[in-house]
Amino acid sequence: MNKKTFWILVFFILLSLIGLADSIYLTYEHYTGAPLVCIITQGCDTVTTSPQAYIFGVYIAIYGVIYYSLIFFLSLMAITTNYARSANFYKFLIFLTPLGFLASLYFLYLQAFVIGTFCTWCLISAIDSTLLFILGLYLANDNHRSHIFVEDKL
């Protein structure tokens, strides 16, 4: 793995840990009933207790915990496995990041036009998933040029 790919994966790990901490905090506060500390905006509790805070009956931050955990473990595996096997982890990372980005765009839309207020912690997650998406584009471009997607002939 080249240095650029290594550092992209390190940033994947760091950003996934930020997103994971954010999602865990939101989940914990939601299920304990504690009010959220809203730093920049004033609508955290309004957003996180709205009907839009659930998808298929599951609190939305739980999906964030799953998403960021997957990004973390895939990035970690991509760094620690051999070159041929890491290609599968790259592919999955490159597949996941647009999903997180599109989900964040949808959640921003809901906050702006349906709920009518913003949650600081949700905005942090949106920024985080946007940065992961951008890194995913770099990873896809870098690995496309290095032919990482060529199947292993073992």
Side-chain angles (χ1 to χ4, degrees):
M1 147 180 353
N2 65 39
K3 280 187 178 184
K4 181 180 175 185
T5 301
F6 174 80
W7 285 108
I8 289 172
L9 291 170
V10 167
F11 283 116
F12 261 100
I13 289 170
L14 294 174
L15 288 169
S16 66
L17 288 174
I18 291 168
L20 187 57
D22 181 49
S23 297
I24 289 171
Y25 171 70
L26 287 170
T27 302
Y28 175 79
E29 294 298 315
H30 177 77
Y31 286 108
T32 61
L36 290 170
V37 176
C38 214
I39 302 165
I40 298 170
T41 63
Q42 299 300 317
C44 293
D45 286 323
T46 303
V47 171
T48 59
T49 58
S50 72
Q52 292 78 24
Y54 295 87
I55 297 177
F56 304 117
V58 177
Y59 184 58
I60 203 162
I62 292 174
Y63 292 108
V65 170
I66 294 166
Y67 172 75
Y68 291 116
S69 295
L70 276 172
I71 297 289
F72 173 77
F73 287 115
L74 289 168
S75 302
L76 194 61
M77 294 303 292
I79 284 180
T80 59
T81 60
N82 66 31
Y83 181 79
R85 293 214 171 135
S86 64
N88 293 325
F89 298 117
Y90 296 150
K91 289 177 189 176
F92 202 31
L93 281 169
I94 292 165
F95 171 76
L96 278 178
T97 57
L99 297 178
F101 176 68
L102 291 173
S104 289
L105 287 179
Y106 176 67
F107 301 142
L108 285 173
Y109 164 80
L110 288 176
Q111 289 176 75
F113 300 108
V114 177
I115 303 167
T117 190
F118 290 93
C119 165
T120 303
W121 302 103
C122 305
L123 294 175
I124 290 170
S125 181
I127 292 167
D128 198 359
S129 66
T130 300
L131 292 173
L132 285 168
F133 172 65
I134 292 167
L135 285 175
L137 293 175
Y138 278 112
L139 186 64
N141 184 48
D142 188 48
N143 291 317
H144 176 71
R145 284 187 278 127
S146 66
H147 307 290
I148 194 135
F149 295 115
V150 176
E151 293 296 322
D152 189 20
K153 306 282 187 202
L154 293 179

mmCIF file of all heavy atoms in Angstrom, residues 81-102:
data_model
loop_
_atom_site.group_PDB
_atom_site.id
_atom_site.type_symbol
_atom_site.label_atom_id
_atom_site.label_comp_id
_atom_site.label_asym_id
_atom_site.label_seq_id
_atom_site.Cartn_x
_atom_site.Cartn_y
_atom_site.Cartn_z
ATOM 1 N N THR A 81 -4.241 -5.877 6.726
ATOM 2 C CA THR A 81 -4.182 -7.096 5.922
ATOM 3 C C THR A 81 -3.238 -6.922 4.744
ATOM 4 O O THR A 81 -2.818 -5.819 4.427
ATOM 5 C CB THR A 81 -5.575 -7.498 5.397
ATOM 6 O OG1 THR A 81 -6.082 -6.437 4.599
ATOM 7 C CG2 THR A 81 -6.515 -7.823 6.516
ATOM 8 N N ASN A 82 -2.951 -8.033 4.073
ATOM 9 C CA ASN A 82 -2.033 -7.951 2.936
ATOM 10 C C ASN A 82 -2.698 -7.244 1.758
ATOM 11 O O ASN A 82 -3.909 -7.062 1.717
ATOM 12 C CB ASN A 82 -1.519 -9.341 2.540
ATOM 13 C CG ASN A 82 -2.609 -10.246 2.000
ATOM 14 O OD1 ASN A 82 -3.574 -9.796 1.389
ATOM 15 N ND2 ASN A 82 -2.451 -11.533 2.226
ATOM 16 N N TYR A 83 -1.905 -6.883 0.804
ATOM 17 C CA TYR A 83 -2.339 -6.067 -0.334
ATOM 18 C C TYR A 83 -3.502 -6.691 -1.098
ATOM 19 O O TYR A 83 -4.484 -6.025 -1.385
ATOM 20 C CB TYR A 83 -1.134 -5.837 -1.267
ATOM 21 C CG TYR A 83 -1.439 -4.987 -2.451
ATOM 22 C CD1 TYR A 83 -1.501 -3.604 -2.320
ATOM 23 C CD2 TYR A 83 -1.671 -5.548 -3.697
ATOM 24 C CE1 TYR A 83 -1.778 -2.806 -3.404
ATOM 25 C CE2 TYR A 83 -1.953 -4.753 -4.786
ATOM 26 C CZ TYR A 83 -2.004 -3.381 -4.638
ATOM 27 O OH TYR A 83 -2.284 -2.596 -5.710
ATOM 28 N N ALA A 84 -3.415 -7.963 -1.407
ATOM 29 C CA ALA A 84 -4.447 -8.609 -2.217
ATOM 30 C C ALA A 84 -5.790 -8.649 -1.484
ATOM 31 O O ALA A 84 -6.832 -8.397 -2.075
ATOM 32 C CB ALA A 84 -4.011 -10.007 -2.607
ATOM 33 N N ARG A 85 -5.777 -8.935 -0.209
ATOM 34 C CA ARG A 85 -7.021 -9.031 0.553
ATOM 35 C C ARG A 85 -7.603 -7.664 0.887
ATOM 36 O O ARG A 85 -8.807 -7.530 1.054
ATOM 37 C CB ARG A 85 -6.784 -9.808 1.833
ATOM 38 C CG ARG A 85 -6.461 -11.241 1.518
ATOM 39 C CD ARG A 85 -6.985 -12.154 2.551
ATOM 40 N NE ARG A 85 -6.827 -13.514 2.068
ATOM 41 C CZ ARG A 85 -6.364 -14.480 2.791
ATOM 42 N NH1 ARG A 85 -6.029 -14.269 4.028
ATOM 43 N NH2 ARG A 85 -6.252 -15.678 2.284
ATOM 44 N N SER A 86 -6.760 -6.642 1.002
ATOM 45 C CA SER A 86 -7.268 -5.324 1.368
ATOM 46 C C SER A 86 -8.149 -4.736 0.282
ATOM 47 O O SER A 86 -8.971 -3.869 0.552
ATOM 48 C CB SER A 86 -6.121 -4.376 1.712
ATOM 49 O OG SER A 86 -5.300 -4.155 0.592
ATOM 50 N N ALA A 87 -8.037 -5.212 -0.955
ATOM 51 C CA ALA A 87 -8.862 -4.705 -2.054
ATOM 52 C C ALA A 87 -10.344 -4.862 -1.759
ATOM 53 O O ALA A 87 -11.144 -3.977 -2.074
ATOM 54 C CB ALA A 87 -8.507 -5.417 -3.354
ATOM 55 N N ASN A 88 -10.728 -5.951 -1.122
ATOM 56 C CA ASN A 88 -12.136 -6.157 -0.773
ATOM 57 C C ASN A 88 -12.611 -5.130 0.246
ATOM 58 O O ASN A 88 -13.741 -4.653 0.180
ATOM 59 C CB ASN A 88 -12.356 -7.566 -0.249
ATOM 60 C CG ASN A 88 -12.151 -8.601 -1.326
ATOM 61 O OD1 ASN A 88 -12.474 -8.363 -2.490
ATOM 62 N ND2 ASN A 88 -11.591 -9.732 -0.960
ATOM 63 N N PHE A 89 -11.764 -4.789 1.187
ATOM 64 C CA PHE A 89 -12.123 -3.777 2.179
ATOM 65 C C PHE A 89 -12.242 -2.405 1.527
ATOM 66 O O PHE A 89 -13.141 -1.628 1.857
ATOM 67 C CB PHE A 89 -11.100 -3.754 3.320
ATOM 68 C CG PHE A 89 -11.029 -5.052 4.064
ATOM 69 C CD1 PHE A 89 -9.864 -5.795 4.076
ATOM 70 C CD2 PHE A 89 -12.135 -5.554 4.733
ATOM 71 C CE1 PHE A 89 -9.797 -7.003 4.747
ATOM 72 C CE2 PHE A 89 -12.085 -6.757 5.416
ATOM 73 C CZ PHE A 89 -10.914 -7.484 5.423
ATOM 74 N N TYR A 90 -11.357 -2.095 0.587
ATOM 75 C CA TYR A 90 -11.442 -0.824 -0.140
ATOM 76 C C TYR A 90 -12.766 -0.721 -0.882
ATOM 77 O O TYR A 90 -13.429 0.310 -0.866
ATOM 78 C CB TYR A 90 -10.313 -0.676 -1.162
ATOM 79 C CG TYR A 90 -8.917 -0.623 -0.606
ATOM 80 C CD1 TYR A 90 -7.856 -1.104 -1.340
ATOM 81 C CD2 TYR A 90 -8.648 -0.077 0.639
ATOM 82 C CE1 TYR A 90 -6.566 -1.060 -0.857
ATOM 83 C CE2 TYR A 90 -7.364 -0.034 1.137
ATOM 84 C CZ TYR A 90 -6.327 -0.526 0.381
ATOM 85 O OH TYR A 90 -5.052 -0.482 0.868
ATOM 86 N N LYS A 91 -13.124 -1.800 -1.553
ATOM 87 C CA LYS A 91 -14.365 -1.792 -2.331
ATOM 88 C C LYS A 91 -15.571 -1.512 -1.441
ATOM 89 O O LYS A 91 -16.451 -0.736 -1.800
ATOM 90 C CB LYS A 91 -14.553 -3.134 -3.040
ATOM 91 C CG LYS A 91 -13.610 -3.373 -4.181
ATOM 92 C CD LYS A 91 -13.842 -4.767 -4.755
ATOM 93 C CE LYS A 91 -12.774 -5.133 -5.758
ATOM 94 N NZ LYS A 91 -12.934 -6.509 -6.262
ATOM 95 N N PHE A 92 -15.600 -2.147 -0.292
ATOM 96 C CA PHE A 92 -16.724 -1.967 0.610
ATOM 97 C C PHE A 92 -16.740 -0.551 1.182
ATOM 98 O O PHE A 92 -17.801 0.071 1.304
ATOM 99 C CB PHE A 92 -16.699 -3.021 1.710
ATOM 100 C CG PHE A 92 -18.025 -3.262 2.366
ATOM 101 C CD1 PHE A 92 -19.215 -3.114 1.677
ATOM 102 C CD2 PHE A 92 -18.090 -3.667 3.682
ATOM 103 C CE1 PHE A 92 -20.440 -3.341 2.283
ATOM 104 C CE2 PHE A 92 -19.305 -3.902 4.306
ATOM 105 C CZ PHE A 92 -20.484 -3.737 3.603
ATOM 106 N N LEU A 93 -15.567 -0.019 1.522
ATOM 107 C CA LEU A 93 -15.486 1.368 2.001
ATOM 108 C C LEU A 93 -15.983 2.336 0.933
ATOM 109 O O LEU A 93 -16.742 3.262 1.215
ATOM 110 C CB LEU A 93 -14.041 1.724 2.371
ATOM 111 C CG LEU A 93 -13.536 1.221 3.706
ATOM 112 C CD1 LEU A 93 -12.036 1.417 3.811
ATOM 113 C CD2 LEU A 93 -14.254 1.926 4.845
ATOM 114 N N ILE A 94 -15.543 2.110 -0.290
ATOM 115 C CA ILE A 94 -15.934 2.986 -1.399
ATOM 116 C C ILE A 94 -17.432 2.883 -1.670
ATOM 117 O O ILE A 94 -18.078 3.855 -2.050
ATOM 118 C CB ILE A 94 -15.083 2.663 -2.649
ATOM 119 C CG1 ILE A 94 -13.626 3.085 -2.386
ATOM 120 C CG2 ILE A 94 -15.628 3.342 -3.890
ATOM 121 C CD1 ILE A 94 -12.630 2.510 -3.371
ATOM 122 N N PHE A 95 -18.019 1.720 -1.418
ATOM 123 C CA PHE A 95 -19.458 1.532 -1.572
ATOM 124 C C PHE A 95 -20.232 2.208 -0.442
ATOM 125 O O PHE A 95 -21.298 2.804 -0.668
ATOM 126 C CB PHE A 95 -19.778 0.031 -1.615
ATOM 127 C CG PHE A 95 -21.238 -0.273 -1.549
ATOM 128 C CD1 PHE A 95 -22.049 -0.086 -2.655
ATOM 129 C CD2 PHE A 95 -21.807 -0.748 -0.373
ATOM 130 C CE1 PHE A 95 -23.417 -0.363 -2.594
ATOM 131 C CE2 PHE A 95 -23.163 -1.027 -0.305
ATOM 132 C CZ PHE A 95 -23.966 -0.833 -1.412
ATOM 133 N N LEU A 96 -19.743 2.120 0.792
ATOM 134 C CA LEU A 96 -20.470 2.634 1.955
ATOM 135 C C LEU A 96 -20.505 4.157 2.047
ATOM 136 O O LEU A 96 -21.511 4.732 2.460
ATOM 137 C CB LEU A 96 -19.851 2.099 3.246
ATOM 138 C CG LEU A 96 -20.244 0.713 3.695
ATOM 139 C CD1 LEU A 96 -19.499 0.341 4.970
ATOM 140 C CD2 LEU A 96 -21.731 0.620 3.916
ATOM 141 N N THR A 97 -19.399 4.809 1.708
ATOM 142 C CA THR A 97 -19.331 6.252 1.955
ATOM 143 C C THR A 97 -20.372 7.066 1.182
ATOM 144 O O THR A 97 -20.916 8.013 1.754
ATOM 145 C CB THR A 97 -17.912 6.802 1.718
ATOM 146 O OG1 THR A 97 -17.492 6.512 0.390
ATOM 147 C CG2 THR A 97 -16.938 6.225 2.724
ATOM 148 N N PRO A 98 -20.700 6.730 -0.066
ATOM 149 C CA PRO A 98 -21.787 7.488 -0.707
ATOM 150 C C PRO A 98 -23.141 7.274 -0.024
ATOM 151 O O PRO A 98 -23.960 8.190 0.027
ATOM 152 C CB PRO A 98 -21.832 6.954 -2.143
ATOM 153 C CG PRO A 98 -20.519 6.317 -2.364
ATOM 154 C CD PRO A 98 -20.051 5.841 -1.027
ATOM 155 N N LEU A 99 -23.357 6.085 0.532
ATOM 156 C CA LEU A 99 -24.607 5.827 1.242
ATOM 157 C C LEU A 99 -24.733 6.723 2.477
ATOM 158 O O LEU A 99 -25.788 7.295 2.741
ATOM 159 C CB LEU A 99 -24.701 4.356 1.649
ATOM 160 C CG LEU A 99 -24.741 3.337 0.515
ATOM 161 C CD1 LEU A 99 -24.775 1.921 1.074
ATOM 162 C CD2 LEU A 99 -25.911 3.589 -0.403
ATOM 163 N N GLY A 100 -23.638 6.843 3.229
ATOM 164 C CA GLY A 100 -23.635 7.721 4.397
ATOM 165 C C GLY A 100 -23.827 9.172 4.013
ATOM 166 O O GLY A 100 -24.547 9.922 4.684
ATOM 167 N N PHE A 101 -23.204 9.574 2.913
ATOM 168 C CA PHE A 101 -23.323 10.950 2.434
ATOM 169 C C PHE A 101 -24.764 11.253 2.007
ATOM 170 O O PHE A 101 -25.332 12.285 2.383
ATOM 171 C CB PHE A 101 -22.350 11.178 1.271
ATOM 172 C CG PHE A 101 -22.455 12.527 0.639
ATOM 173 C CD1 PHE A 101 -22.077 13.663 1.334
ATOM 174 C CD2 PHE A 101 -22.929 12.658 -0.655
ATOM 175 C CE1 PHE A 101 -22.172 14.920 0.742
ATOM 176 C CE2 PHE A 101 -23.015 13.902 -1.254
ATOM 177 C CZ PHE A 101 -22.646 15.034 -0.548
ATOM 178 N N LEU A 102 -25.368 10.348 1.245
ATOM 179 C CA LEU A 102 -26.749 10.560 0.798
ATOM 180 C C LEU A 102 -27.722 10.558 1.976
ATOM 181 O O LEU A 102 -28.666 11.354 2.009
ATOM 182 C CB LEU A 102 -27.134 9.495 -0.231
ATOM 183 C CG LEU A 102 -26.428 9.614 -1.579
ATOM 184 C CD1 LEU A 102 -26.770 8.409 -2.460
ATOM 185 C CD2 LEU A 102 -26.788 10.913 -2.283
#
